[in-house]
Amino acid sequence: MKITPLLLSVLLTALPLQSFAEPETESATWPLIRDSLFPGSPDIVESEEIVSLTAPKRAIDAALVPLEVRVNVRQGDTNPIERIHLIVDNNPSPIVGSFDMSPNNGIANIATRVRVNAYSPVRVIAQTADGKLHMHSKFVKASGGCSAPAGADDMLARQRMGRMKLKDLAGENSRMMQLLISHPNYSGLQIDQLTRHWIPSDYVSDVNITLEGEPVMRFNGGISISENPTFTFHLDKGKTGKLKADVKDSTGREFSSEWDI
């Protein structure tokens, strides 16, 4: 049978689109993000062997997308997790943030909520003590998360700014803790619904958690963390004492809270 241009067009139309689509975890921005985070193009192993990411396929709320990171090594092992990066490729600020982990974690599992501005690959990259990079990616369908209006009244949000709560959650081999921070976390892409003016960016940029002065977890990030940030982390079982959270935001404000655990 002779394949004419018309027949070829019909055949191409009949084939499933995914036959010609790039993998969902590919994006035009990823090479730039990778080179920015890791100059020199070191090898990044795409595998769930060391780290895995749980994320919704389609987010219910693009401004509150839950992400959960699980690792398959303990912090007392010979090659523990030193740093975890979260990335949303198609966000205006793709690097959500970096988490410095410590031996006090027991296990370096973390969870938080992020803004997703457009359909995008979402990535976790874990760096082990030997310097190797391990990545797992998911594709999340969500849009408008970075420009979504704040969920709370601005005046009330600013009155509560900096207040913190700590929840001690159940954990199998470690204590799972959740830190909640009251902060509007304005992205700079939102409009005040009353004045119709742009709201300047104002977000939590640094969180340093210590136990009796020893490091537990440190976060540094940008506008992609959701309003009223939450960070779930772990403590090695048997660890007790005074847990302290020191928080800074992008305007220079500083907040601190302590708990006896």
Side-chain angles (χ1 to χ4, degrees), residues 122-144:
V122 178
R123 308 175 192 273
V124 59
I125 300 176
Q127 181 175 333
T128 44
D130 60 5
K132 292 183 179 179
L133 301 170
H134 311 266
M135 180 170 72
H136 187 223
S137 308
K138 294 283 190 177
F139 190 81
V140 175
K141 295 179 179 180
S143 60

Side-chain angles (χ1 to χ4, degrees), residues 93-260:
S93 180
I95 301 171
V96 175
S98 300
F99 298 79
D100 292 328
M101 311 310 292
S102 77
N104 284 321
N105 293 127
I107 192 165
N109 293 347
I110 57 171
T112 189
R113 302 179 305 185
V114 304
R115 303 177 187 273
V116 177
N117 209 52
Y119 285 26
S120 178
V122 178
R123 308 175 192 273
V124 59
I125 300 176
Q127 181 175 333
T128 44
D130 60 5
K132 292 183 179 179
L133 301 170
H134 311 266
M135 180 170 72
H136 187 223
S137 308
K138 294 283 190 177
F139 190 81
V140 175
K141 295 179 179 180
S143 60
C146 292
S147 57
D153 173 80
D154 178 69
M155 184 176 295
L156 179 61
R158 293 188 182 279
Q159 288 174 352
R160 296 180 54 81
M161 188 179 290
R163 296 183 187 179
M164 293 182 238
K165 290 182 180 179
L166 183 72
K167 293 183 179 181
D168 195 341
L169 308 174
E172 294 180 5
N173 299 313
S174 60
R175 298 179 69 178
M176 186 162 61
M177 318 294 289
Q178 185 180 63
L179 176 66
L180 300 93
I181 307 168
S182 290
H183 200 290
N185 250 43
Y186 292 129
S187 66
L189 303 174
Q190 297 148 306
I191 295 176
D192 187 298
Q193 299 301 297
L194 295 177
T195 66
R196 308 306 297 170
H197 294 158
W198 292 100
I199 302 172
S201 61
D202 186 351
Y203 56 88
V204 169
S205 57
D206 293 273
V207 179
N208 186 29
I209 301 172
T210 56
L211 180 66
E212 293 294 331
E214 294 295 320
V216 174
M217 185 191 79
R218 188 180 188 100
F219 166 80
N220 175 260
I223 66 170
S224 293
I225 289 287
S226 297
E227 175 183 4
N228 296 324
T230 66
F231 299 98
T232 301
F233 61 97
H234 287 250
L235 278 176
D236 209 357
K237 271 198 170 179
K239 297 284 184 181
T240 60
K242 193 174 292 294
L243 189 79
K244 186 180 182 185
D246 293 303
V247 176
K248 295 180 182 179
D249 70 17
S250 58
T251 70
R253 302 185 198 91
E254 298 185 7
F255 315 98
S256 293
S257 287
E258 292 182 339
W259 303 267
D260 289 316

